[in-house]
Amino acid sequence: MGNYGTHIDAKWQEKWEESKLYKFNKNKSGEKLYVLEMFSYPSGSNLHAGHWFNYGPVDSWARFKRMQGYNIFQPMGFDAFGLPAENYAIKTGIHPKDSTVKNIETMEKQLRAMGAMFNWENEVITCNEDYYKWTQWLFLKLYEKGLAYRKNAPVNWCPSCNTVLANEQVLDGECERCSSEVTKKDLTQWFFKITDYSEELLQKLDELDWPEKTKAMQKHWIGKSIGAEVTFKMADSDLSFDVFTTRADTLFGVTYVVLAPENPLVDKITTEHYKKDVEAYKEATKKQSEIERQSITREKTGVFTGAYAINPINGRKVPVWVADYVLATYGTGAVMAVPAHDERDFAFATKYELPIERVIKGGEGLPYVDPGIMVNSGEFDGMNSEEGRDAIIAKLERESHGTKKINYRLRDWLVSRQRYWGAPIPVVYCDKCGTVPVPEDQLPVKLPYEVEFTPDGKSPLAKCEDFINTTCPHCGAPAKREADTLDTFVCSSWYYLRYADNKNDKEAFNTDIINDILPVDKYVGGPEHACMHLLYARFINKALRDMGYLNFDEPFLSLTHQGLILGPDGLKMSKSKGNTISPDDYIKEFGSDVFRMYLMFGFDYTEGGAWSDDGIKSIGRFIDRVERILDSCRDYIKDPKNSKDSMDKLEKELNFVRHSTIKAISEDMDKMQFNTCIARIMEYTNALSKYINEESKNPTFLKESLIDFIKLLAPFAPHFSEEQWSLLDMPFSVFNEKWPIFNESALVKDEVEIAIQINGKVKGRINIPSGLSEDEIKLAALASPDTQRNIAGKDLMKVIVIKGRLVNIVVK
Ligand code: ANZ
Ligand code: ZN
C-alpha cells in the first residue's frame, strides 16, 4: 500500500481552505465559467454514490477548465423545503426543521470530504429565512406583473401526498413523488402564468447546448399547434361556439361536432328529450382521468344533445354530440369531427353510425389522416392540404367565421401546496380589501415552528392561530393569511441567481453582479427535471428579465445529464430498498481520489450503470503504482548532470505518448468522457515506467514529462496530485498551473510500422522512416526478408501501397 489516503485528503483540503485557493473573484484574470450541479435535497439517507457521480466528475471537469485559464464559479447548496422532511416528521415526530438542519450538516461534511472546489462561501439553503424571504419577494413581483394569479379550477390532487400537484408533477396519471393515482378536485389555487412565455420558451430551445432529447421533451410539453378557430352557430338559437382545428382543410368533411362534457354550453343547448342522458354521461365522465380519456385504443363513448349547429363553410346542419374524448382543458373544449380523416372521429362515427365523408384524396382506406389533395370541397377542390388550409382560413376570416389560431399544450404552473414545509405565500385576505399582497418591507412571512402538520388535505398553517390571524396591511382590520405554501420548484427556480450574491440582505440579488456571473455556462444534473425544474427556471429567468432585474435570456447555456448509478441489484438507489451505496467506507479505505477516479473510470458519464466495486481495488493499485514510479525518480531528476538537449529514440517514444495524451485528454474532457481520459493516463503511466527502467535517462526531459503527467492527473486525483506536486518541490498549487498544450511535431513519428500482405494475408511487418514516397515504400517492402521468403518462385503481379498502414503484394 502506498502513502495516499484520507490523511493526504485532509492535509490538502485544509491547505486549500486556508489559502482560499478556490474563492471566486470576478476580477481575477480569465473568462468566468459558472459550473453548476443541481443542488441536493437534504435527505436522511445522506449522500450516496449517485451524488458523487454527479459532483465528483463535474468537479474534475471544472478543475481542468480552471487549469485552462477559466475563472471558475462552482457553488453548492441545498434544496431544503419539501415533502420528504415533512413525511419523515409525521413518521418519527422529529420536526422537519430539525431533521433538515441535521441532514444538511452531515451532507456538507460528506461533500467537503470530496474535496471539490465548491464555493462554500456562496452556499444557499432554501429553507432559511434569508433565502425564502426572497422567494416570497419573487412571488410578489410576479403578482405585481399579473404573472401570479388565483383561480378556481379542476386541479390534480394526490390523495397520498394530500396536496395539489402541478401538471408537470403528474406522470402518466400518477404522482411524480409517490406514484399514487392522481385525481381531480375543484379548488381555488395560485398559478404562475408560464403560458405567457410559451413561444419564447419554445423558440429559444434551439439556441441551447442541451441534449436533443431533453429539448424535444420540452418542445413536446409546450406543444405548439398551428391551426384555426372556427365558429359554428347553433341552428335554432343565437348561441355559437368555436372549435380548434389543425386541419381547416377538412372543414367540408365535418359530419358532426363534439363538446367536452364540462363545456358550459352543453346545458344550454341540450334539448328536453336528451337532458337525462346527457346528465348521466356528464356524471360518468367525472370518474375518468384525462389519461384514460385521451387513450387512442379505449372504446369511444358519447351522447347526442338533440341540437344542431351550422358548418360555416357550406351552411350544412350537423348534430352536436357530447363525448369525453374531447377535453375541456385544451383548445376551446369543442371539436369539429371529420371521421374520414381522424382516427378518433372515425371510431366514434362508426360506433354511432354517423356519416363519414372523404374530402382528402390519398390512400385507399379510411380514415386517411395524412395531407393530400382536396375533393368534395367546392371551390377548394384540387388544392393540396396546406394551400387549402390557408385558403379556407382566409375565407373564414373574411366572413368573420373564424381566425388563425395557435394553441399550446402548456398550462399555467400551479404553485400552491397544502403542506407545511415550504415558503408561505405572502398574501393576506381581508373582508374589506380582498386579496392583499404582504408589503415587501414586511417580508419574510415567517414559517412558524409550532405547527400541527399531520396532513388531512387542509393546509397545516390554517390550523395555526398565531400564523393565520393577522391584520390587513392595507386597512388594519383583522384579516387571514394565505395558509398554502409554495411548491418547492419555486424555491429552486431561482437559486442559481442567489448563489452569486447570497449575502445580500437588501435585495434578492444585485443586478450588476448577476449580469456579470450569469448565465450558468455548464449545468449538470438528472434528466428527470426536463419538464419541471428546467422549464420553470427558464420561465422565471425570462420574467425577471422583463422586469429589468437581469439582462440575459436563458439561465443554463449548456446542459449535461449524468447517468444514474443504480444499486448493485440494478434498481434505483433508495433507502427503502436498502440498496444505497454510501461513499463513506470506500473513502475511508481508499481515499477520496480513488473513489472519484473509480466512478469516472468504471462508468460512462452519461450512461451510469449498476454499482459494482470490482474495479475500485485496481484503481487503488494504480495510484500506488504511480506513487512508486514518482518516488523512484525524484532524486534522479534533481541532478541534471546526465542531461542533454537532443532526444534519441527512447525519448521520442515517451514524448509521443506524452503529447498524444495531452491532446486526447483535452478533447475528451470537453465531451465529459472521463473514462477514456483515465485510460489515457494509464497509458502514459506505462510509457513512463518503461522509460524509467532504461539505462540512459535524461533527467531534464524526465522531469518535464513528470510535470506534465502530474498536471494531467490533477483534475482526476486532486489531493494525490497536489501532494506529488509538492514532493517535486513545485510551488503551491498545481491548480494554479496552466494545462499542458500538446506539441503537434511530437505527434509525428519518425518511423512508422507497416504491415506487409501477400495476397491479402499479413505475412510480416517492417519499420520504415515516415515520409517515404510510394515507390520507396514498395522497394522497402519487397526487400524485406519476410517478403523474399514468401514470394520466392512466384510471379509478381501487383504491389498496392496504402500509406502509413500497409503494402499488399499480389503474386501468382
Ligand atoms: C378537425 C380535424 C380533422 C382534426 C382531422 C384533426 C384531424 P393538436 O395537434 O394536439 O393541437 N382537438 C381540438 N381540441 C380538442 C380537445 N379539446 N380535445 C380533444 N381533441 C381536440 O390537435 C388538434 C386537433 O385535435 C384538432 O384538429 C381537433 O381535431 C382535436 F382530419 O380538428 B382536429
Ligand atoms: Zn403524491
Side-chain angles (χ1 to χ4, degrees):
M1 275 287 272
N3 178 46
Y4 170 68
T6 46
H7 63 290
I8 299 287
D9 293 346
K11 171 179 168 187
W12 291 106
Q13 282 166 23
E14 218 166 278
K15 178 88 191 225
W16 291 334
E17 174 83 34
E18 141 215 326
S19 63
K20 300 200 167 25
L21 183 66
Y22 306 128
K23 192 170 169 16
F24 178 73
N25 172 357
K26 73 183 166 68
N27 300 319
K28 222 163 55 184
S29 70
E31 199 181 326
K32 76 90 191 172
L33 193 84
Y34 188 165
V35 183
L36 182 65
E37 292 111 282
M38 288 182 184
F39 60 170
S40 310
Y41 189 83
S43 89
S45 44
N46 305 332
L47 291 189
H48 53 62
H51 292 104
W52 270 70
F53 193 58
N54 185 186
Y55 302 143
V58 178
D59 179 62
S60 292
W61 186 83
R63 287 175 184 276
F64 157 72
K65 286 288 166 192
R66 177 188 165 109
M67 293 173 80
Q68 279 194 329
Y70 289 93
N71 186 9
I72 306 290
F73 182 53
Q74 189 184 212
M76 184 43 78
F78 293 93
D79 189 10
F81 271 139
L83 275 180
E86 196 169 336
N87 290 341
Y88 181 71
I90 291 157
K91 225 168 58 193
T92 62
I94 299 171
H95 194 281
K97 171 133 199 215
D98 301 341
S99 64
T100 302
V101 167
K102 193 178 136 270
N103 290 338
I104 288 178
E105 206 178 292
T106 332
M107 287 171 79
E108 231 187 79
K109 228 193 258 146
Q110 287 182 297
L111 282 167
R112 283 176 190 271
M114 185 182 291
M117 320 190 278
F118 292 134
N119 294 104
W120 283 110
E121 65 279 10
N122 294 77
E123 185 178 17
V124 154
I125 297 174
T126 60
C127 70
N128 288 354
E129 264 171 49
D130 63 1
Y131 183 84
Y132 75 69
K133 168 178 180 173
W134 301 112
T135 305
Q136 293 174 337
W137 169 87
L138 175 65
F139 178 94
L140 293 178
K141 288 295 143 190
L142 294 170
Y143 182 76
E144 249 169 52
K145 280 280 156 205
L147 290 172
Y149 66 93
R150 200 166 174 245
K151 77 165 180 201
N152 185 282
V155 295
N156 307 302
W157 179 263
C158 173
S160 143
C161 294
N162 266 297
T163 183
V164 299
L165 301 173
N167 285 346
E168 289 78 15
Q169 289 174 293
V170 183
L171 310 178
D172 291 334
E174 293 177 356
C175 170
E176 165 257 336
R177 261 197 44 75
C178 71
S179 300
S180 307
E181 194 177 324
V182 171
T183 60
K184 286 273 176 193
K185 257 194 184 185
D186 275 317
L187 287 173
T188 303
Q189 297 292 312
W190 283 96
F191 293 85
F192 283 172
K193 218 166 170 192
I194 189 172
T195 52
D196 268 14
Y197 288 86
S198 302
E199 187 60 29
E200 195 193 335
L201 287 168
L202 184 70
Q203 292 309 329
K204 280 269 168 20
L205 276 176
D206 289 337
E207 294 169 22
L208 298 177
D209 171 32
W210 283 24
E212 285 308 321
K213 199 169 153 210
T214 307
K215 291 205 263 187
M217 280 170 75
Q218 277 204 6
K219 212 171 250 181
H220 178 253
W221 185 255
I222 296 166
K224 180 179 183 175
S225 299
I226 301 170
E229 276 184 9
V230 183
T231 307
F232 282 71
K233 286 202 165 54
M234 296 304 298
D236 301 313
S237 74
D238 287 340
L239 294 172
S240 69
F241 61 92
D242 293 338
V243 302
F244 173 70
T245 178
T246 47
R247 293 295 304 273
D249 55 309
T250 64
L251 189 51
F252 282 86
V254 174
T255 59
Y256 65 104
V257 289
V258 193
L259 303 179
E262 298 88 346
N263 190 321
L265 192 69
V266 172
D267 288 343
K268 295 185 195 138
I269 61 161
T270 303
T271 60
E272 216 37 57
H273 181 73
Y274 292 93
K275 277 225 150 67
K276 253 178 70 188
D277 287 356
V278 169
E279 267 322 302
Y281 189 74
K282 279 169 61 180
E283 272 311 304
T285 305
K286 284 190 185 150
K287 299 198 189 78
Q288 305 289 324
S289 73
E290 275 196 12
I291 300 289
E292 288 170 314
R293 287 170 62 170
Q294 282 169 285
S295 154
I296 315 209
T297 49
R298 193 178 67 118
E299 177 159 346
K300 303 278 166 293
T301 60
V303 283
F304 179 43
T305 61
Y308 291 83
I310 306 291
N311 184 343
I313 202 75
N314 54 11
R316 180 167 161 187
K317 237 169 101 170
V318 288
V320 182
W321 284 65
V322 175
D324 66 4
Y325 75 88
V326 175
L327 302 179
T329 50
Y330 188 70
T332 61
V335 306
M336 57 181 232
V338 186
H341 303 293
D342 180 88
E343 303 268 5
R344 294 171 308 174
D345 299 345
F346 183 82
F348 192 85
T350 309
K351 176 168 173 187
Y352 294 105
E353 297 180 343
L354 292 157
I356 298 172
E357 287 169 23
R358 182 191 276 275
V359 290
I360 302 289
K361 214 162 63 184
E364 280 299 304
L366 288 176
Y368 174 74
V369 299
D370 292 329
I373 301 298
M374 293 168 66
V375 292
N376 303 323
S377 298
E379 65 197 90
F380 304 96
D381 279 357
M383 288 186 180
N384 67 39
S385 288
E386 211 155 300
E387 295 168 87
R389 190 156 54 209
D390 292 344
I392 288 190
I393 294 172
K395 179 165 173 153
L396 291 170
E397 281 183 336
R398 279 197 303 276
E399 295 172 356
S400 308
H401 285 140
T403 138
K404 232 192 227 123
K405 171 83 187 177
I406 291 172
N407 251 325
Y408 299 89
R409 252 171 48 91
L410 185 65
R411 292 287 95 101
D412 281 341
W413 172 16
L414 199 177
V415 295
S416 42
R417 295 289 179 276
Q418 292 67 51
R419 297 297 300 247
Y420 164 66
W421 191 233
I425 295 175
V427 165
V428 166
Y429 302 104
C430 168
D431 283 345
K432 267 214 319 260
C433 310
T435 303
V436 183
V438 174
E440 202 179 312
D441 60 10
Q442 291 175 26
L443 297 182
V445 175
K446 288 191 189 172
L447 183 69
Y449 184 87
E450 293 296 342
V451 174
E452 177 56 56
F453 43 75
T454 323
D456 55 7
K458 294 229 179 56
S459 309
L461 290 179
K463 291 172 271 181
C464 182
E465 297 288 326
D466 288 349
F467 174 84
I468 206 79
N469 294 314
T470 182
T471 50
C472 170
H474 217 193
C475 73
K480 298 247 185 251
R481 285 190 191 282
E482 168 66 62
D484 287 356
T485 53
L486 287 168
D487 178 5
T488 49
F489 282 112
V490 178
C491 307
S492 58
S493 69
W494 75 283
Y495 78 108
Y496 51 93
L497 303 174
R498 179 72 181 174
Y499 272 144
D501 193 16
N502 67 331
K503 294 190 183 64
N504 196 333
D505 57 2
K506 304 279 179 305
E507 45 192 355
F509 48 79
N510 173 280
T511 296
D512 293 336
I513 293 181
I514 293 302
N515 289 345
D516 259 5
I517 299 182
L518 279 108
V520 172
D521 297 286
K522 184 57 145 182
Y523 199 21
V524 181
E528 67 277 12
H529 293 289
C531 295
M532 292 189 273
H533 165 61
L534 288 169
L535 188 63
Y536 298 148
R538 295 183 64 215
F539 155 61
I540 292 296
N541 189 106
K542 290 173 196 302
L544 287 169
R545 174 202 61 197
D546 290 347
M547 293 183 233
Y549 289 106
L550 45 85
N551 70 359
F552 44 94
D553 297 331
E554 288 285 338
F556 316 126
L557 299 181
S558 174
L559 172 72
T560 300
H561 298 309
Q562 85 280 15
L564 212 52
I565 297 292
L566 305 166
D569 50 6
L571 300 171
K572 200 177 160 178
M573 279 193 199
S574 85
K575 207 181 177 185
S576 61
K577 286 193 221 104
N579 64 350
T580 55
I581 296 297
S582 161
D584 299 359
D585 293 339
Y586 288 107
I587 287 158
K588 225 177 270 158
E589 187 176 348
F590 297 101
S592 126
D593 288 353
V594 170
F595 188 64
R596 177 199 290 228
M597 271 184 91
Y598 174 61
L599 286 171
M600 288 190 272
F601 187 59
F603 303 88
D604 181 294
Y605 194 58
T606 55
E607 300 278 324
W611 175 259
S612 125
D613 59 9
D614 277 356
I616 194 164
K617 282 210 177 77
S618 68
I619 295 284
R621 281 194 298 269
F622 169 71
I623 287 290
D624 290 347
R625 176 166 180 236
V626 170
E627 198 174 333
R628 276 197 310 276
I629 290 173
L630 293 167
D631 281 349
S632 74
C633 46
R634 246 189 320 267
D635 289 337
Y636 184 78
I637 60 176
K638 279 179 187 156
D639 178 7
K641 78 168 180 296
N642 291 325
S643 293
K644 54 183 189 295
D645 284 341
S646 64
M647 287 193 211
D648 64 19
K649 185 162 171 282
L650 293 174
E651 273 95 34
K652 279 183 183 157
E653 253 177 52
L654 177 58
N655 210 39
F656 174 81
V657 178
R658 168 178 159 196
H659 286 277
S660 55
T661 305
I662 297 171
K663 180 168 193 273
I665 294 184
S666 308
E667 287 169 4
D668 290 357
M669 271 309 247
D670 272 333
K671 294 178 269 178
M672 291 202 168
Q673 279 175 15
F674 303 108
N675 46 4
T676 52
C677 292
I678 291 173
R680 290 302 193 140
I681 288 175
M682 291 171 172
E683 276 171 33
Y684 189 11
T685 310
N686 291 339
L688 272 174
S689 159
K690 185 172 164 215
Y691 181 72
I692 284 162
N693 291 326
E694 300 289 347
E695 274 303 312
S696 78
K697 289 185 288 266
N698 175 347
T700 313
F701 168 76
L702 178 56
K703 183 170 180 181
E704 281 167 18
S705 307
L706 292 178
I707 284 176
D708 275 358
F709 177 81
I710 295 174
K711 287 185 188 175
L712 290 171
L713 180 64
F716 306 96
H719 307 86
F720 174 78
S721 306
E722 193 78 285
E723 175 75 11
Q724 293 303 326
W725 190 250
S726 78
L727 289 173
L728 279 189
D729 295 329
M730 301 297 283
F732 178 77
S733 145
V734 67
F735 297 105
N736 285 336
E737 293 295 321
K738 285 274 159 293
W739 186 252
I741 292 175
F742 70 89
N743 184 345
E744 198 73 62
S745 65
L747 299 181
V748 182
K749 280 192 167 173
D750 292 351
E751 279 202 338
V752 283
E753 188 193 72
I754 59 170
I756 297 176
Q757 292 184 346
I758 313 279
N759 289 347
K761 288 216 174 67
V762 178
K763 295 288 185 188
R765 293 175 193 280
I766 51 168
N767 284 317
I768 54 167
S770 60
L772 286 191
S773 74
E774 204 169 304
D775 283 337
E776 287 167 327
I777 297 172
K778 269 185 197 171
L779 289 177
L782 289 169
S784 116
D786 280 337
T787 311
Q788 290 299 324
R789 210 174 343 104
N790 277 293
I791 65 174
K794 298 191 177 133
D795 285 340
L796 184 62
M797 307 301 292
K798 216 193 236 165
V799 183
I800 307 154
V801 176
I802 299 175
K803 264 210 160 149
R805 288 210 306 133
L806 62 84
V807 175
N808 190 15
I809 298 166
V810 185
V811 288
K812 225 165 63 182

